Amino acid sequence: MKLSYHLTLILLLSSVILGCKTSQEKNIHQKIENDTEEIFDKLVEIRRDFHQNPEIAGDESRSSKIIAEYLINLGLEVKTGIAGNGVIGILKGKKEGKIIAWRADMDALPHDFPDEVSYKSKNKGIQHGCGHDIHMAIGLGIAEVLSKNKEAINGTVYFIFQPEEETFVGAKTW
């Protein structure tokens, strides 16, 4: 399935915190779809950049910096240095409401398996083989689309970017 399909589906599911009345739901869903399509190419580039520049568990400093800057530029409250290189972005909606979270792993694997894409890893012996590159890109995309629709959100969304998932260290130190 395509990145845009996954992102749109996740955003529509997250609409549980959007403060929409039934007549407004169709409009907000269409806006979410449009906003998602608008940033699709940018997200593909971000995902490919993460794929080309994978970082092994505990060494996700480049990814952490990119994620933090992206979230700050969206106007989110950002916490860094969580369990090492972890990042948390906090998007507060217009009104009080539910709290939900999106978690994305950040680390890559120590492997040289066949990778038949034009945007192969530049880091010898390290690759994103578990999809953490796409998880990070989707998380950033959700943050961007929801930040554009902040006035319609009742509640808070946490964007959690977890380091060292492959070694189980990151979750243990949270």
Side-chain angles (χ1 to χ4, degrees):
M1 291 186 184
K2 291 182 2 179
L3 172 66
S4 63
Y5 174 80
H6 285 291
L7 182 59
T8 302
L9 179 62
I10 292 164
L11 283 162
L12 292 175
L13 290 173
S14 69
S15 67
V16 71
I17 66 163
L18 295 173
C20 302
K21 304 225 181 315
T22 305
S23 62
Q24 295 173 315
E25 287 178 4
K26 185 176 180 181
N27 291 338
I28 194 67
H29 287 193
Q30 186 60 53
K31 185 163 182 342
I32 287 171
E33 285 187 47
N34 292 343
D35 290 344
T36 302
E37 286 301 318
E38 185 179 295
I39 65 170
F40 176 75
D41 291 337
K42 176 171 63 171
L43 293 178
V44 169
E45 289 303 313
I46 290 168
R47 185 269 171 137
R48 289 180 178 181
D49 179 71
F50 284 141
H51 193 83
Q52 286 181 310
N53 298 283
E55 296 168 301
I56 203 82
D59 215 12
E60 308 94 341
S61 59
R62 180 183 183 277
S63 297
S64 179
K65 182 179 178 189
I66 290 169
I67 291 165
E69 287 177 6
Y70 196 95
L71 296 174
I72 288 167
N73 288 334
L74 295 176
L76 274 65
E77 177 184 340
V78 176
K79 299 177 186 287
T80 59
I82 310 295
N85 293 305
V87 179
I88 297 177
I90 304 167
L91 175 63
K92 294 181 181 176
K94 182 178 178 180
K95 297 180 184 175
E96 293 291 319
K98 296 181 181 190
I99 297 172
I100 64 170
W102 170 266
R103 185 184 70 81
D105 302 324
M106 299 168 62
D107 56 342
L109 296 166
H111 285 287
D112 271 329
F113 50 83
D115 194 9
E116 302 302 320
V117 294
S118 61
Y119 47 93
K120 294 178 181 15
S121 172
K122 296 176 184 177
N123 300 336
K124 185 168 177 51
I126 304 171
Q127 293 176 319
H128 273 296
C130 286
H132 295 179
D133 51 342
I134 199 163
H135 292 173
M136 291 183 285
I138 288 173
L140 294 175
I142 294 169
E144 183 164 350
V145 171
L146 288 182
S147 70
K148 289 179 181 180
N149 294 283
K150 184 177 178 177
E151 293 300 311
I153 296 175
N154 292 341
T156 303
V157 184
Y158 285 83
F159 298 94
I160 303 166
F161 294 87
Q162 178 188 329
E164 298 190 70
E165 184 272 339
E166 294 295 345
T167 60
F168 306 108
V169 173
K172 290 178 182 178
T173 58
W174 284 67

